[in-house]
Amino acid sequence: MAVARILGKVAVSSGLLGCLAGLMLHFHIATYPYLAWALAGSLAIYLWTRPGFRSLVIAILFGLAFAFVYAVVKQEPVGGAALAFLGLGSLASVGLAALWCGPAERSTSSQTCLIASMLPLCQVLAGLSLAATSIAHPKTYDLFLYAFDAQLGESPSFLAGRLLARCAAVRQICYLGYVALPLAMAIAFALDRRRRDHRAPSVVRAFAAAAALGFLLYNFYPATGPVYVFGSRFPFSAPPAGLPPFGLVAVESAPRNAMPSLHLAWALLIFWNSRRWAVGWRVLAGALLAVIALATLGLGEHYLVDLFVAVPFALLAQGLAASGASWRNAVRIACVGTGALLVLAWLTYLRLPSPPLQSSGALLWSLLLGSAAASVILESRLHLAVAQAGVTALGAVNAREYTEPLVEAPG
């Protein structure tokens, strides 16, 4: 029995290492930045658990081995993806530890392995889901969004694109912030767990709610972004928006993930949930939000209206994640209801071939700013409501302890 158990563990260990190797080879992690940074996030979560020296050495050795195999098989440089290979090594280290450790440590090791593998698995599932949207929706609503943006003035995405094209340093910062968002999400998770107030919204639950709802909405409102629709005309040659009625446009294979902007929603959720962190981390969260906002436009991935709709969308996710306030709490209900209503109202309006507010740029600006401001105000009230609920619950516990009769020990 002991030999069979050992052989079984050897087989499972080989399967784990084979899966990790297959993941890096199939998805070309040296040239797939989102997955590479998701694996860097796995490394950050692994380091957050403060692993022992032996575990660190094993993670580094496996990381070097994965990098060597990748360089030999793919004949590609691996230096730029060093953090990704170390992330793979950390997953191998914690996975093998969960398999080979004793019963006392198995629960902790398994939990660490599960948490560390969360971001790469989500990235793989997201990639497959987005690939399916381009097949299911060969035509998109991009012209509707482009025409809407044109009513706000000169196309904001083309303006931001020209800024990034003329300033290489800003473009590099924006690109890095855009593709490295999974690492920022992993750091947010670690900081959230370190300073965890179980009454506050969980940033991980908020991320998950935004991801699930976002992929549903991508099928309700498929759109890609100006760089995919206009190609070489972006960002220096903005075409005329045209007149209604607008029609769907066929777009080559590209993810239908423009509306709403999940990148901005996730960055906003990080910023909202950074209140409990040290000041330096909160400043970095605010800087990340600004960089993501500029990057989504300047890289041609989104239209300006995508960003505005992402604000009530983030409010909806935050409200769903705020388990510290019960569903009878009026503020939580208002956040979820208002967020859902605003998102659906904007998406419904933006699907109209002949929207009624054409040539009303000032009114559209007012509506966009109003919906964003209402979302921000409601989120701040939700934060106060959750804090107040925590104070009330703590007071009730203290009062109960104070009023409970003392029971003398027998004898």
Side-chain angles (χ1 to χ4, degrees), residues 75-143:
Q75 296 294 307
E76 296 175 0
V78 298
L83 293 178
F85 290 110
L86 288 175
L88 283 170
S90 67
L91 290 177
S93 179
V94 296
L96 293 177
L99 183 63
W100 290 93
C101 67
E105 299 86 8
R106 184 166 296 131
S107 175
T108 301
S109 298
S110 299
Q111 184 180 26
T112 302
C113 182
L114 178 63
I115 294 172
S117 61
M118 178 174 54
L119 280 173
L121 288 177
C122 288
Q123 188 60 52
V124 170
L125 291 175
L128 296 174
S129 300
L130 291 177
T133 61
S134 63
I135 299 173
H137 308 285
K139 293 186 176 183
T140 70
Y141 287 92
D142 281 82
L143 295 184

Side-chain angles (χ1 to χ4, degrees), residues 263-339:
H263 266 75
L264 188 79
W266 280 326
L268 188 56
L269 288 170
I270 291 174
F271 180 71
W272 281 344
N273 288 280
S274 67
R275 291 186 179 97
R276 302 181 302 278
W277 306 346
V279 174
W281 286 113
R282 184 156 175 79
V283 170
L284 287 176
L288 175 69
L289 178 60
V291 167
I292 292 292
L294 180 58
T296 51
L297 291 176
L299 298 176
E301 299 286 342
H302 290 278
Y303 305 89
L304 182 61
V305 66
D306 305 344
L307 275 59
F308 274 101
V309 176
V311 181
F313 178 78
L315 173 69
L316 171 59
Q318 185 81 333
L320 292 173
S323 57
S326 73
W327 281 110
R328 293 190 297 271
N329 188 291
V331 177
R332 188 183 187 188
I333 294 173
C335 287
V336 173
T338 302

Side-chain angles (χ1 to χ4, degrees), residues 173-371:
I173 292 172
C174 286
Y175 176 77
L176 181 61
Y178 192 80
V179 299
L181 183 60
L183 175 59
M185 295 168 70
I187 294 173
F189 164 80
L191 292 171
D192 189 60
R193 290 292 292 267
R194 180 185 299 175
R195 302 291 300 273
R196 191 74 186 102
D197 178 355
H198 293 283
R199 297 178 299 274
S202 165
V203 69
V204 173
R205 283 199 297 269
F207 288 157
L213 294 172
F215 289 120
L216 288 175
L217 293 179
Y218 290 157
N219 289 281
F220 177 76
Y221 200 100
T224 58
V227 71
Y228 302 106
V229 178
F230 303 113
S232 60
R233 302 186 69 173
F234 181 87
F236 290 107
S237 181
L243 297 174
F246 305 116
L248 299 178
V249 60
V251 182
E252 295 296 327
S253 180
R256 273 57 174 161
N257 63 344
M259 173 59 78
S261 170
L262 267 184
H263 266 75
L264 188 79
W266 280 326
L268 188 56
L269 288 170
I270 291 174
F271 180 71
W272 281 344
N273 288 280
S274 67
R275 291 186 179 97
R276 302 181 302 278
W277 306 346
V279 174
W281 286 113
R282 184 156 175 79
V283 170
L284 287 176
L288 175 69
L289 178 60
V291 167
I292 292 292
L294 180 58
T296 51
L297 291 176
L299 298 176
E301 299 286 342
H302 290 278
Y303 305 89
L304 182 61
V305 66
D306 305 344
L307 275 59
F308 274 101
V309 176
V311 181
F313 178 78
L315 173 69
L316 171 59
Q318 185 81 333
L320 292 173
S323 57
S326 73
W327 281 110
R328 293 190 297 271
N329 188 291
V331 177
R332 188 183 187 188
I333 294 173
C335 287
V336 173
T338 302
L341 181 62
L342 286 174
V343 170
L344 292 178
W346 277 116
L347 293 186
T348 301
Y349 176 83
L350 291 167
R351 284 172 63 101
L352 298 176
S354 300
L357 299 179
Q358 284 292 311
S359 304
S360 302
L363 178 58
L364 291 176
W365 269 113
S366 299
L367 292 174
L368 287 172
L369 293 172
S371 67

